[in-house]
Amino acid sequence: MAHPLTIALFGITRDIVGASSLTLSIEKSTDVDSLLDQLRAQYPRLTELNSLLVAVNSEYAEGNQLLKKGDEIALIPPVSGG
Amino acid sequence: MAHPLTIALFGITRDIVGASSLTLSIEKSTDVDSLLDQLRAQYPRLTELNSLLVAVNSEYAEGNQLLKKGDEIALIPPVSGG
Amino acid sequence: MILLTHQPIDVPAVMAHVQTGSAGAVDIFIGTVRNQTQQKRVVRLEYEAYEPMALKKMQELVDEVRRRWPVEQVAIVHRVGVLDIGEAAVVIAVSTPHRAEAFEACRWLIDTLKEVVPIWKKEVFEDGEVWVAAHA
Amino acid sequence: MILLTHQPIDVPAVMAHVQTGSAGAVDIFIGTVRNQTQQKRVVRLEYEAYEPMALKKMQELVDEVRRRWPVEQVAIVHRVGVLDIGEAAVVIAVSTPHRAEAFEACRWLIDTLKEVVPIWKKEVFEDGEVWVAAHA
């Protein structure tokens, strides 16, 4: 059963996608790596980044973490604060 | 030929001598080490210090430096600025 | 004191926050907007943050620095939005009993902030702009 | 900026002095009067300096730090006279293009100042006083 997932976008990922968030329909058992694969297929310029991480509920997620309904998801391109 | 030499005193050396400067009569060929020996003989508590240096014209002096008339001399006990 | 602010950072207030009677040493790091980078003239910077996560990570840094060093007080303030040349983008202040710890803790905080806190900097030049560190 | 002052140190003025458009990093060290040392309660501190030599040595530190690091601006301000708990005894500020150099240069300055600049600190307790570091 698919469910919708909203992904917050910042920095260069916001520029690449052209929006500050996007909503995908994902399968129930989708993990972080699968989500990244899906996004890279849809937005090939994401593959050019030095790194691309996913935050789930404000915490850096491992590639095999499953995404649950209601999770707060964000793409994290290379940070450059300071 | 002896000449008078005024020595500025700071910190604990000022307390030990009980004055902010003292004037000694020294021989023309007196060096820094001889001056220190003379002062330690006169004020034995100076021997208790962790270190005792002499500044000549605002520069740390070596033990064999000769003291000339008109030199600005100061005793430098262990510094503790900052 | 952990803060993301759209206003200019009040550096004296940050300093006042960390000064205590039991601290003998305060180290303060200020990251400011340079007028050039790699020989190109910078017109302004723009910072954006994933704010809830950035604040959470900053709190984790504060917790960790307190575990590692005998920190009396610590403050991390990061500016977001548009910054002009010379303005402070980040101010980190740490007070400790002795000075070695203040330098080490402050340095660790800015180094680690730059690695893990989700804040992004865009450099705006006269002829273009770039998100820093995004590409090799 | 090299200064010995009998007045409270104006820390924001010291900071303003080192901030420039070409510096990306500022590190500031503040040495303050602690309310205790080795478990004894400190009432106040008294600093005295051999002023002309202290200023000369501080200038030598500034010259040397500029030789060793790409320093944009540097300030060393030391207070003399009677200080209350929490007041700043010394403020050192350094601006450099990048942060590693700011931390290293600032740390070198305070470490070396404490070794060579003829300034003396007396700690005053409720029941006595002592010139710091004079005796083993």
Side-chain angles (χ1 to χ4, degrees):
Chain A
M1 216 170 67
H3 63 88
L5 198 72
T6 298
I7 301 156
L9 302 168
F10 300 96
I12 194 160
T13 62
R14 188 163 44 72
D15 287 359
I16 289 173
V17 173
S20 61
S21 72
L22 65 84
T23 303
L24 289 181
S25 180
I26 61 161
E27 295 304 313
K28 202 172 181 181
S29 63
T30 296
D31 66 11
V32 163
D33 280 340
S34 308
L35 173 68
L36 284 172
D37 288 343
Q38 193 174 336
L39 289 169
R40 288 194 184 102
Q42 202 167 343
Y43 302 98
R45 284 180 57 209
L46 293 176
T47 61
E48 297 166 11
L49 301 181
N50 272 338
S51 86
L52 185 60
L53 301 173
V54 170
V56 178
N57 301 323
S58 291
E59 197 50 69
Y60 290 107
E62 300 290 329
N64 61 2
Q65 183 170 333
L66 291 179
L67 301 173
K68 301 190 307 292
K69 198 171 170 178
D71 278 344
E72 191 181 314
I73 312 286
L75 279 191
I76 310 286
V79 301
S80 50
Chain B
M1 217 174 60
H3 64 89
L5 198 71
T6 298
I7 300 156
L9 302 168
F10 300 94
I12 194 159
T13 62
R14 186 162 45 72
D15 287 359
I16 289 172
V17 173
S20 61
S21 72
L22 64 82
T23 302
L24 289 182
S25 181
I26 60 162
E27 295 304 312
K28 201 173 181 180
S29 62
T30 297
D31 66 12
V32 163
D33 280 341
S34 308
L35 173 68
L36 285 171
D37 288 344
Q38 193 174 334
L39 288 167
R40 288 194 185 101
Q42 203 166 342
Y43 302 99
R45 284 181 57 210
L46 293 176
T47 62
E48 297 166 9
L49 300 181
N50 272 340
S51 85
L52 186 59
L53 301 174
V54 171
V56 178
N57 301 323
S58 290
E59 197 50 68
Y60 290 108
E62 299 290 326
N64 61 4
Q65 183 171 334
L66 291 178
L67 301 172
K68 299 189 309 292
K69 198 171 171 179
D71 279 344
E72 189 179 315
I73 312 287
L75 278 190
I76 311 287
V79 300
S80 50
Chain C
M1 179 188 239
I2 293 173
L3 192 65
L4 288 170
T5 174
H6 292 257
Q7 304 301 320
I9 300 175
D10 182 349
V11 183
V14 178
M15 283 188 344
H17 178 79
V18 301
Q19 281 183 291
T20 71
S22 50
V26 176
D27 194 43
I28 302 159
F29 175 80
I30 307 175
T32 59
V33 179
R34 295 182 67 199
N35 56 15
Q36 61 162 10
T37 179
Q38 291 158 347
Q39 267 77 53
K40 288 194 75 172
R41 201 163 91 79
V42 174
V43 176
R44 65 172 191 276
L45 287 193
E46 295 177 21
Y47 281 91
E48 73 176 57
Y50 178 20
E51 298 204 7
M53 182 173 175
L55 290 168
K56 180 167 182 259
K57 288 287 153 193
M58 287 156 78
Q59 182 61 56
E60 289 175 14
L61 296 190
V62 165
D63 295 344
E64 179 70 15
V65 85
R66 287 186 178 281
R67 273 192 291 273
R68 292 198 190 193
W69 288 278
V71 168
E72 299 274 351
Q73 291 293 332
V74 53
I76 306 180
V77 182
H78 204 297
R79 175 93 176 267
V80 288
V82 176
L83 277 75
D84 293 326
I85 303 302
E87 288 198 288
V90 63
V91 177
I92 294 180
V94 181
S95 58
T96 61
H98 303 289
R99 74 186 184 283
E101 306 142 357
F103 281 108
E104 287 167 18
C106 190
R107 175 100 190 241
W108 181 86
L109 282 170
I110 181 63
D111 287 352
T112 312
L113 178 147
K114 283 175 163 273
E115 286 171 8
V116 306
V117 177
I119 297 176
W120 298 272
K121 170 166 58 179
K122 184 163 72 176
E123 288 170 342
V124 180
F125 307 105
E126 285 162 317
D127 61 352
E129 53 185 50
V130 63
W131 287 104
V132 176
H135 298 100
Chain D
M1 179 189 238
I2 294 171
L3 191 65
L4 289 171
T5 174
H6 292 257
Q7 305 302 319
I9 299 176
D10 181 350
V11 182
V14 178
M15 283 188 343
H17 178 78
V18 302
Q19 281 184 291
T20 71
S22 50
V26 175
D27 194 42
I28 302 160
F29 175 80
I30 307 175
T32 58
V33 178
R34 294 182 68 200
N35 56 13
Q36 61 162 7
T37 180
Q38 291 157 349
Q39 268 76 55
K40 289 194 74 173
R41 203 165 89 80
V42 175
V43 177
R44 65 172 192 274
L45 287 192
E46 296 177 20
Y47 281 91
E48 73 176 59
Y50 177 20
E51 298 203 6
M53 182 173 175
L55 290 169
K56 179 168 183 257
K57 288 288 154 194
M58 286 156 77
Q59 182 62 56
E60 288 174 12
L61 296 190
V62 165
D63 295 344
E64 180 69 15
V65 86
R66 286 185 178 283
R67 273 191 290 274
R68 292 197 192 195
W69 287 277
V71 167
E72 299 273 350
Q73 291 293 331
V74 52
I76 306 179
V77 182
H78 205 297
R79 177 93 177 267
V80 289
V82 177
L83 277 75
D84 292 327
I85 303 303
E87 288 197 289
V90 63
V91 178
I92 294 181
V94 181
S95 58
T96 61
H98 302 288
R99 73 186 185 284
E101 306 141 358
F103 281 107
E104 288 168 18
C106 190
R107 175 103 191 240
W108 182 86
L109 282 169
I110 181 63
D111 287 352
T112 313
L113 178 146
K114 284 175 162 274
E115 286 172 7
V116 307
V117 176
I119 297 176
W120 297 273
K121 169 166 60 179
K122 184 162 72 176
E123 288 171 342
V124 180
F125 307 104
E126 285 163 317
D127 61 352
E129 53 184 50
V130 63
W131 287 103
V132 176
H135 298 99

